[in-house]
Amino acid sequence: MLKDLTSTASSILKTANGGLVYYDAIFAFLEEFIRIYGEGVENAALATLAGSSPSADELEVGKMVEELLLELLGAVRDSLGSKWNEPKEQGQGQEAFESKPHFAPKADQMSQDSLARVFSLVATCMVTCPVFLFYLPAEAGLDRDDDKLLRRAIDTAVTSLNDNDQEITLKAIKFLMATVSFCRDFH
Amino acid sequence: MKRLLVGCCGSYSFSVTSEAAELIAALMQSSPSSADLEAVIASALRQDCFLLGEQSRRVAIVVLSRCAQNQLNASDVRLFMEDLWRLYQVDDKDALPYSDVVAGFVRKYGS
């Protein structure tokens, strides 16, 4: 049934044609899916990392989540801003935290909704399945060791701390807070 | 860190300020070098967005530095930032450094 659900979500994405209401629905579905099944996904990621055999079911659920998440991000990619879409090798090497803050121009509605939703989604991943999140590539087909989704999310969240849209800023802060909490607990 | 502190100087809404304060406290308490943090705090509070005058700036640096040294907790930082936010909720920001409310803020956090 989970396979059918994610397959249906994927079909909706393919036919969404830029419709905000469809993307919004898939974001909500995926976030809830991760809340419910994230522990199993994380178990599979940890087992893979440890070199042991993960449960076949948990591994399959992890693959479904990864495919749908990357497909969703691909669908809204153009609305996530230049920082998100900046390939790793084009970065200036400057610490994202210490670059000069300036207030970003107001984005269109899709940008606002999508970016806030992405931060909420990755925050849920950070709480529920951080190791799984750590190993996700920024886009389908990219080297997962070289260009990580997490790096783009953190860089974009930092840039969004001075966004004119307070909802984006709030979601960015919550994502960064989840990341800091994880790092603190990990140590 | 600088971006968060700049945002807390009047551009964030109250709810965002509260969340930002929690993140600032968490970052400070997680950082290995309090000396580096204090330099970042001082630099952030020298930005044009800090409109409360030199005494308030010194008080803010001391308060945030105490957090970096784990002498204050997240709740203390949140209350401080929320008080800071309230100071910016005036129409005449030019008069802020000389105002009674800022003087009260300096007395409250400077002791």
Side-chain angles (χ1 to χ4, degrees), chain A residues 97 99 103 158 161-162 166, chain B residues 1 3 11-13 19 26 30:
Chain A
F97 277 87
S99 61
F103 283 84
V158 169
L161 290 176
N162 300 122
Q166 298 283 287
Chain B
M1 181 72 71
R3 289 175 181 269
S11 51
Y12 286 164
S13 66
E19 296 286 341
S30 308

Side-chain angles (χ1 to χ4, degrees), chain B residues 91-103:
Chain B
D91 292 329
D92 183 8
K93 291 190 173 48
D94 289 337
L96 268 175
Y98 321 105
S99 64
D100 292 339
V101 284
V102 168

